[in-house]
Amino acid sequence: PPLISYTAAVLGNMLPIPIILIFLQHVFNWLRNFEKTKRMVESLERRAHLKGKTVEKYKSLGLVILVAIPLPGTGAWTGALVASVLDIPPKKALSLIFLGVCVAGLFMLLLSHGVKSII
């Protein structure tokens, strides 16, 4: 059923987000101590800053949009990375990412089930 699918997708997508928001910077700081992983962290942070330009331009709406667009390189995990790199407070980021996941879930629900079957 569409409602169960939607709920499971949103909850499954959100499950790792609080952990990412809370611990990502700590993990990145630790990984910077090792030469092999230091470059990987720097690369991820560069990408996050590039995607973060939209977030910085549109503020909170930018993070929602980044998460809500169902394309490769966007989504909740990328939104959490960007929020963490841009030092957006975790509580605020969590609510914005949740809103973006809900919007993306609606897009996908409508695409996969069609408008008529939902209504």
Side-chain angles (χ1 to χ4, degrees):
L3 184 59
I4 293 172
S5 300
Y6 175 78
T7 303
V10 168
L11 293 177
N13 205 344
M14 288 301 299
L15 195 62
I17 301 307
I19 296 164
I20 293 170
L21 289 172
I22 293 168
F23 294 111
L24 185 66
Q25 282 303 320
H26 300 294
V27 171
F28 275 7
N29 290 336
W30 180 74
L31 288 173
R32 280 191 190 89
N33 294 320
F34 309 101
E35 196 58 40
K36 289 183 180 182
T37 54
K38 181 179 181 179
R39 284 182 277 159
M40 177 194 66
V41 168
E42 290 170 353
S43 174
L44 285 170
E45 286 182 328
R46 265 193 308 278
R47 282 194 231 156
H49 277 290
L50 288 174
K51 292 194 183 288
K53 288 181 182 185
T54 302
V55 175
E56 288 176 330
K57 183 177 179 181
Y58 296 106
K59 307 291 182 210
S60 297
L61 181 60
L63 185 56
V64 173
I65 291 169
L66 175 66
V67 174
I69 298 172
L71 294 172
T74 65
W77 290 45
T78 302
L81 172 64
V82 168
S84 181
V85 168
L86 296 179
D87 293 322
I88 297 173
K91 284 184 182 180
K92 181 178 182 178
L94 185 64
S95 62
L96 296 171
I97 291 168
F98 178 73
L99 182 59
V101 167
C102 289
V103 171
L106 285 174
F107 286 152
M108 297 312 296
L109 183 69
L110 292 173
L111 282 173
S112 61
H113 288 281
V115 176
K116 285 185 180 180
S117 69
I118 305 292
I119 299 172

